[in-house]
Amino acid sequence: MKAAGRDAAITRISESIDAKEVIALAQELIRVPSVYRKEHQVSARIMKKLAGWGFDPISVPVEGFGPCVVCQHGKGKKHSVGLNGHMDTVEVKEGWKHDPFGAKIEKGMLYGLGALDMKSGLAALMIAFKTIAESGAKLDCNVRFQAVTGEEENSAGIRTLIVNGFFKDVKATIVGEGIGGLGVITHGRRGGSYYEIDVIGKSAHGSTPHLGVSAIADAAKIITALDGMKMRTSNGLVADSGKRLAESQLVLRISGGDVSYSVPDRCTLRIMRATIPGHPIDITKDLRRVVRGLGLRSRVEIKMQMGPGDLLKPYFSPTDSELVNTARKWIKHYTANNPRLVCGLSEADDNQVAELTGVPVICFGPGERGKLARYHQPEEAVKVSQLGIASKIYCSTVLELASAP
Ligand SMILES: [Zn+2]
């Protein structure tokens, strides 16, 4: 089919989406509490919903969390296009005035836990998925919808899907998480590397501190020196703040000392370096150099942590890729704005997809900026006017991506 004819057909299908249906589904999802590790009920609801629409969804158990839901339209094609969202939320934070599970709409805003992060996105993905299947459009790819769990804790759900082969044939994935709203496509993210710094001093009676070496005093010097380290900046990538993407570093924990009157001989720091694409993810050498420069009397051991969830690489999907271009085109079509391409500052499920599968991935969806960006905050709310538009954009983008083999 010629591009113009194809686009007209895609638009016709996407325009059949009823915004009211997307909003009602977002409300329904908000009304089923799904704090991470307790996603069982919402997972069952999504299963039931998909089955009611005539699909054959499968439930994939995740250790310690509610099960993920995977549902496919089409079969036997060489490739699939993925639509992905997480169904868990953070806890109810202090300060809610609205019922966090009431899903009330007031002055065009839908209030509720997960309104932004990310039950609106999830509802928009689901309706787009259903619309694509019901359209009967001939596609060259399967379309796979995934609702995952555990994103807010450690991405356990998506890792389970990756391990179980659900990304093997995927040629591109859209995550419906819309930090910043529909004016933004997140096409990359920083990663994170974690380090443990062990400071080993020398104990002595507390009344004669000069006879010992205080590990706590030396750890304090290390913390000050860490603050002075120069962070690397990316040449071409932009953060969602609009500034150039840069590393950052934080001491997450300090522990040491005892109750007895003794010179503390042990102090441990846990630090995190947020890393950026194109630059080292292991900065152990940099840390050693900084510590050596201090000439401490304590012995210092520095180890990068490599356990699950400890290390995530930064990633980015090229700005001129088929995935980015197609999403950008349809966002422009439905919002009349050219979306900004940004990199997220924090890690998320898309890091796992990029790192463990190599599948091109981007995130965008209904969301807010500035004061309204109450992610992980009380009074979380989203402008409902975005929900139908987001669903149409997902629908059009996937139809176009799935029309090519
Ligand atoms: Zn989220």
Side-chain angles (χ1 to χ4, degrees), residues 196-199 216 219 253-257 266-270:
E196 202 126 275
I197 302 183
D198 259 324
V199 185
I216 289 181
R253 196 183 60 215
I254 174 167
S255 51
R266 192 111 193 175
C267 187
T268 304
L269 305 175
R270 180 170 163 84

Side-chain angles (χ1 to χ4, degrees), residues 266-308:
R266 192 111 193 175
C267 187
T268 304
L269 305 175
R270 180 170 163 84
I271 75 157
M272 193 267 206
R273 168 72 66 101
T275 54
I276 57 174
H279 291 279
I281 53 159
D282 180 354
I283 54 144
T284 313
K285 270 195 198 144
D286 297 6
L287 295 172
R288 289 215 175 101
R289 197 178 319 116
V290 167
V291 170
R292 242 193 337 264
L294 294 171
L296 302 174
R297 287 166 65 209
S298 295
R299 187 160 59 82
V300 179
E301 284 169 12
I302 301 174
K303 276 194 303 287
M304 181 159 79
Q305 308 285 292
M306 294 289 281

Side-chain angles (χ1 to χ4, degrees), residues 121-331:
L122 195 59
L125 293 170
M126 285 174 72
I127 300 293
F129 177 71
K130 171 168 85 104
T131 307
I132 291 164
E134 285 175 349
S135 75
K138 282 225 173 332
L139 300 175
D140 287 313
C141 297
N142 310 311
V143 179
R144 189 172 302 140
F145 168 74
Q146 304 168 328
V148 299
T149 54
E151 197 269 351
E152 299 292 0
E153 185 174 320
N154 59 7
S155 294
I158 200 143
R159 268 190 278 139
T160 303
L161 293 189
I162 291 168
V163 168
N164 284 289
F166 287 101
F167 279 85
K168 270 203 183 110
D169 60 338
V170 175
K171 72 165 193 174
T173 286
I174 296 168
V175 177
E177 178 132 36
I179 296 195
L182 291 170
V184 171
I185 295 176
T186 300
H187 73 119
R189 275 183 199 279
R190 297 199 299 185
S193 308
Y194 293 79
Y195 301 83
E196 202 126 275
I197 302 183
D198 259 324
V199 185
I200 301 126
K202 189 176 157 223
S203 189
H205 194 278
S207 60
T208 53
H210 58 283
L211 297 178
V213 176
S214 166
I216 289 181
D218 280 349
K221 288 178 192 152
I222 294 174
I223 293 175
T224 307
L226 291 176
D227 269 348
M229 284 178 84
K230 200 166 161 1
M231 297 293 114
R232 298 174 179 91
T233 303
S234 167
N235 268 332
L237 300 173
V238 178
D240 33 27
S241 62
K243 296 198 181 114
R244 282 203 298 169
L245 192 69
E247 294 179 330
S248 64
Q249 186 167 280
L250 187 66
V251 177
L252 299 173
R253 196 183 60 215
I254 174 167
S255 51
D258 222 324
V259 285
S260 75
Y261 188 32
S262 311
V263 175
D265 60 355
R266 192 111 193 175
C267 187
T268 304
L269 305 175
R270 180 170 163 84
I271 75 157
M272 193 267 206
R273 168 72 66 101
T275 54
I276 57 174
H279 291 279
I281 53 159
D282 180 354
I283 54 144
T284 313
K285 270 195 198 144
D286 297 6
L287 295 172
R288 289 215 175 101
R289 197 178 319 116
V290 167
V291 170
R292 242 193 337 264
L294 294 171
L296 302 174
R297 287 166 65 209
S298 295
R299 187 160 59 82
V300 179
E301 284 169 12
I302 301 174
K303 276 194 303 287
M304 181 159 79
Q305 308 285 292
M306 294 289 281
D310 281 333
L311 173 72
L312 270 180
K313 290 180 189 148
Y315 86 90
F316 77 103
S317 299
T319 49
D320 59 351
S321 62
E322 183 193 24
L323 174 61
V324 172
N325 279 334
T326 310
R328 176 144 56 173
K329 166 181 153 186
W330 289 107
I331 291 176

Side-chain angles (χ1 to χ4, degrees), residues 22 26 110 114-125 175-184 363-369 375 380-391 393-394:
V22 185
L110 166 60
L116 291 168
D117 187 8
M118 56 158 283
K119 289 180 170 176
S120 299
L122 195 59
L125 293 170
V175 177
E177 178 132 36
I179 296 195
L182 291 170
V184 171
C363 303
F364 68 90
E368 300 291 350
R369 298 186 68 73
Y375 295 87
E380 184 179 344
V382 67
K383 272 185 224 82
V384 290
S385 55
Q386 306 173 62
L387 271 58
I389 297 170
S391 194
I393 296 169
Y394 294 143

Side-chain angles (χ1 to χ4, degrees), residues 10-27:
I10 287 175
T11 316
R12 236 185 344 268
I13 295 167
S14 304
E15 283 298 344
S16 74
I17 288 176
D18 181 359
K20 282 196 215 92
E21 195 182 356
V22 185
I23 295 165
L25 180 56
Q27 286 181 295

